[in-house]
Amino acid sequence: MNTPAGRPEAGGAATASAPIYLDYNATTPLLAEVLEAMLSHLRREFGNPSSDHPFGNAAREAVTAARAAVVELVGAKPAEIVFTARTTEQEIEMTAELVAAAWRRNSH
């Protein structure tokens, strides 16, 4: 099934008449299950998880639950799962971790 823009829905198969979207650096299609899980947070339960008020507390609980789900899915430790808002933030974090690991390795 195609969206009004002619793109296949997330999880849908591309057809000969529909273009294939390859620009996943910009955005990605959402699976229906992901959209369903996010709708309440996008509509009613939004907040800054770093803030200490009811909206922030609810958002922090949602992020903690999401982190636990990812931990279980990939077999990681909670501290190893870091959610970032954008690619640049992620790249800076990863670069800092790599530099710190190299420094620790070379200082022994």
Side-chain angles (χ1 to χ4, degrees):
M1 182 162 156
N2 289 334
T3 63
R7 297 182 184 147
E9 290 185 2
T15 65
S17 63
I20 298 173
Y21 185 77
L22 298 174
D23 191 9
Y24 289 100
N25 283 330
T27 186
T28 59
L30 292 176
L31 293 173
E33 307 92 296
V34 174
L35 179 60
E36 187 64 33
M38 290 299 301
L39 277 177
S40 65
H41 300 287
L42 296 170
R43 290 181 174 157
R44 296 178 303 279
E45 300 165 9
F46 54 88
N48 180 349
S50 298
S51 296
D52 189 20
H53 51 62
F55 297 106
N57 295 337
R60 188 170 35 262
E61 289 173 12
V63 170
T64 299
R67 182 174 286 111
V70 172
V71 163
E72 185 176 330
L73 180 68
V74 301
K77 297 175 185 168
E80 295 173 325
I81 304 301
V82 178
F83 296 118
T84 60
R86 60 191 82 41
T87 303
T88 303
E89 185 179 0
Q90 176 186 359
E91 290 169 350
I92 291 169
E93 180 71 24
M94 289 179 64
T95 302
E97 289 295 324
L98 290 170
V99 169
W103 184 83
R104 285 190 301 269
R105 187 173 50 246
N106 293 327
S107 66
H108 289 102

